[in-house]
Amino acid sequence: MTDLSGAARSGSKFGLEDVVEVSYPTEWRRAQRNPGADGKPGPIEFSSPAAFETRNTGSTFEARLDTDQEGVMLRYSVQRVIAGDRSVHHRIHRDGKWQEDVSFPRLSVNEWASTLRISRGQWTLVGSGTDFDAKGHLDKARSVLAFIKVE
């Protein structure tokens, strides 16, 4: 469960977040086979990271509140990013077994965006979706609900 709260002004865009940065390699230098001591090809070496990317995981909320004669109008976007297990994209055969060489994090996302009228002081359901398990796969036994309350 995540609880974000903050102050906003009508007519201004604002945002809230509870995030952790996750850095991971996005490009790799191909593995090389170095010569062995006897002149024969040695074991293949593992690939090495060459470039990295950073992604925020956690919850982010961006919105704009407007008021008119009919009440409060909210334009919003909610994003929830979970870093699950790793997805293996390349393996090498070394020491008689296949070993992980290149992998990427499995990033799973729930995202909702819309415009709606809301009532002050009341919780409003703004999104729902399937949750994710620890590995980042859909967990159909659990749901995620996103609520907003404007005071």
Side-chain angles (χ1 to χ4, degrees):
M1 181 175 203
T2 299
D3 182 9
L4 302 176
S5 63
R9 282 198 149 119
S10 183
S12 298
K13 190 174 183 179
F14 67 98
L16 304 166
E17 61 182 26
D18 179 17
V19 297
V20 174
E21 289 185 347
V22 173
S23 293
Y24 55 93
T26 55
E27 295 179 20
W28 299 80
R29 285 189 195 92
R30 187 169 224 163
Q32 301 294 319
R33 188 179 299 272
N34 295 327
D38 57 1
K40 294 180 181 176
I44 192 166
E45 297 298 322
F46 290 95
S47 298
S48 58
F52 291 81
E53 185 170 310
T54 300
R55 177 80 189 261
N56 287 338
T57 61
S59 299
T60 303
F61 173 77
E62 293 180 348
R64 178 184 170 103
L65 276 173
D66 290 309
T67 55
D68 60 18
Q69 60 275 23
E70 295 181 39
V72 180
M73 178 73 75
L74 178 71
R75 291 184 186 107
Y76 70 93
S77 128
V78 179
Q79 187 177 66
R80 177 178 173 258
V81 180
I82 305 296
D85 208 1
R86 301 195 63 80
S87 174
V88 178
H89 290 261
H90 187 257
R91 290 181 170 84
I92 60 173
H93 196 261
R94 187 170 180 180
D95 300 327
K97 59 183 173 185
W98 287 101
Q99 297 183 26
E100 179 181 311
D101 184 37
V102 175
S103 67
F104 296 92
R106 177 176 287 131
L107 300 171
S108 305
V109 180
N110 295 109
E111 188 169 16
W112 306 280
S114 189
T115 301
L116 55 90
R117 289 223 177 259
I118 56 176
S119 299
R120 291 182 187 269
Q122 294 182 4
W123 287 102
T124 303
L125 177 66
V126 297
S128 65
T130 303
D131 201 3
F132 304 100
D133 64 18
K135 292 188 174 189
H137 297 153
L138 290 173
D139 181 355
K140 295 180 182 178
R142 295 177 27 188
S143 295
V144 176
L145 304 175
F147 291 92
I148 293 174
K149 181 179 180 183
V150 175
E151 297 287 343

